[in-house]
Amino acid sequence: GAVQLALGWACWKMYLGRPDTDVYRMTSISMLGGALRSSGQCAEALPVWEASLELGQRHWPHRESGLINCYNNIAACLIELGRSDEGLVIYREIYDGLVEKLGVGHGDTVANGCNLAIALGQLRRYDEAARVLRDPLLPAARRSLGCDHEYTLNVGCALAKALANNPNRMRDVHVRSNQHRPACFLVPDNDDDLVEAAGIVQEMVQRRQQVFGQAHPGTQFAERILDVIQVKLMYPIVARALRA
C-alpha cells in the first residue's frame, strides 16, 4: 500500500549515496522494487529489480537465493506488463536449473516450481500448471519435505485451483427457469477434476488447521478454495433441477 511504498522510497533515498558494495544499499533497492510491485507499479518496479539483479551478479554472485528472488520479481513484472512469454522463460529457467542442481524434492525447487505453476494458472494455462504440480512436484514434496510442510501444502492448493479453474473442462448448459427466462450455467464436462481437486484441498485444509491453526491466512485461503470447488460440484445438480 501507500505506507509500504513511502517506506520503500525513504529507505532507497537514505542509502542511495553508499557504495555499490554496501549491503544496505542493495537491500534498499530490493525494498523499493518490492514496494513498487506490491503497489501495482510494475513498469516502475521492473528496472529497479533489473538494477538489483545486476548489482547482485556483480558483487554477490555466490548469493544464489538473492539472485533467484530478483529473477522471480522480474518475471512477475514482465507477466503483469503483458510480456508473458519472457516471464515464463525466466520461471522455467529457474525451476529447471534447481531441479538439475538440487533435485525436484528440495525446498527451493518446490517453492519455485510452485511459482511457475501459479504463473501458468494466471495465464489460464491450467493443463500445463496441473502437469507440473501433480507430477513430479507434489509427490516429491511429500516425500522429501513431508505432508505438513508449508511448501507441500502450497503445492496442493495450487494444484486444486488449477484443476478446478480449467475452462477447457467446462461446458455451457442452457436451461429455462420457472419464469421461462433462459439461463446459462458453466458446468464441469465431467466431475473427475473437481472431485480430485476437492479431495486434495480437503486434505490441505485439515493439515493446515492442525499445523497452523484455524486463524492462519493460509488455512483461510485453502478453505475459500474448498468452498468454491464445492459450489462448482453443485452446478450440474442445479442445472438438472432447473431443466426438470
Side-chain angles (χ1 to χ4, degrees):
V3 173
Q4 182 184 6
L5 188 58
L7 289 172
W9 280 113
C11 185
W12 176 75
K13 290 176 182 177
M14 179 177 291
Y15 297 105
L16 178 61
R18 294 199 178 189
D20 285 355
T21 53
D22 186 281
V23 67
Y24 294 108
R25 183 177 187 274
M26 176 68 170
T27 301
S28 72
I29 295 173
S30 296
M31 287 184 64
L32 175 59
L36 288 167
R37 185 188 156 205
S38 297
S39 301
Q41 301 180 40
C42 289
E44 292 79 10
L46 179 58
V48 175
W49 281 111
E50 289 173 336
S52 181
L53 175 63
E54 192 273 332
L55 282 175
Q57 289 172 327
R58 192 192 322 155
H59 299 295
W60 297 280
H62 57 287
R63 295 185 179 178
E64 188 174 31
S65 60
L67 298 179
I68 288 175
N69 181 54
C70 291
Y71 277 120
N72 274 317
N73 278 282
I74 289 170
C77 289
L78 288 170
I79 288 176
E80 287 294 326
L81 293 171
R83 297 161 62 181
S84 56
D85 289 341
E86 296 174 67
L88 283 178
V89 166
I90 294 174
Y91 278 127
R92 290 186 201 281
E93 287 179 347
I94 295 171
Y95 175 61
D96 291 342
L98 290 171
V99 168
E100 183 176 353
K101 182 176 181 179
L102 303 176
V104 71
H106 191 278
D108 290 348
T109 309
V110 172
N112 284 279
C114 197
N115 288 341
L116 168 61
I118 290 171
L120 288 166
Q122 289 173 340
L123 297 170
R124 304 178 68 82
R125 295 166 69 163
Y126 298 107
D127 286 330
E128 194 173 352
R131 282 195 298 272
V132 171
L133 293 163
R134 182 191 275 128
D135 188 17
L137 215 53
L138 185 56
R142 282 172 167 160
R143 285 193 305 270
S144 62
L145 302 177
C147 293
D148 291 337
H149 194 283
E150 186 165 14
Y151 288 174
T152 305
L153 299 175
N154 289 343
V155 170
C157 285
L159 174 56
K161 285 188 67 176
L163 292 170
N165 291 340
N166 192 345
N168 299 324
R169 307 296 178 85
M170 308 290 279
R171 59 187 173 85
D172 291 330
V173 172
H174 296 274
V175 299
R176 287 186 176 276
S177 67
N178 291 335
Q179 289 75 32
H180 305 292
R181 286 196 291 266
C184 179
F185 285 83
L186 191 64
V187 303
D189 204 29
N190 65 70
D191 290 344
D192 293 347
D193 282 352
L194 282 178
V195 170
E196 181 184 357
I200 292 170
V201 80
Q202 279 175 341
E203 178 191 351
M204 301 301 117
V205 168
Q206 291 170 359
R207 291 186 180 278
R208 281 191 174 277
Q209 289 172 342
Q210 293 167 0
V211 176
F212 300 106
Q214 186 71 43
H216 191 275
T219 304
Q220 295 176 0
F221 177 70
E223 288 173 341
R224 289 194 294 273
I225 296 173
L226 180 58
D227 289 341
V228 170
I229 293 171
Q230 289 175 334
V231 169
K232 288 185 176 183
L233 282 168
M234 292 295 295
Y235 285 177
I237 299 172
V238 174
R240 285 196 297 269
L242 289 172
R243 284 188 295 179

